[in-house]
Amino acid sequence: MGLPAGHVTDVPGLSRTAQLKALGNGVVPQQAAHALRALLHSRAAESTTAAA
């Protein structure tokens, strides 16, 4: 998922069920970064077009 090894699995006392729950529907960090870059690029393009 792009997280450091053991991000959830090396937490002492956390059961497998709790590990899966902690991961849940988490967003992959690289996917979130890409989405933000795309959004910022889109907004910048809109600003440039609107100013012209």
Side-chain angles (χ1 to χ4, degrees):
M1 288 183 56
L3 298 168
H7 177 73
V8 172
T9 57
D10 286 344
V11 177
L14 200 59
S15 68
R16 171 112 172 112
T17 303
Q19 291 173 8
L20 292 171
K21 186 175 182 178
L23 291 171
N25 291 328
V27 174
V28 177
Q30 294 93 334
Q31 183 180 11
H34 176 76
L36 287 172
R37 279 192 299 272
L39 180 62
L40 290 172
H41 178 74
S42 173
R43 294 284 297 188
E46 288 175 8
S47 295
T48 303
T49 304

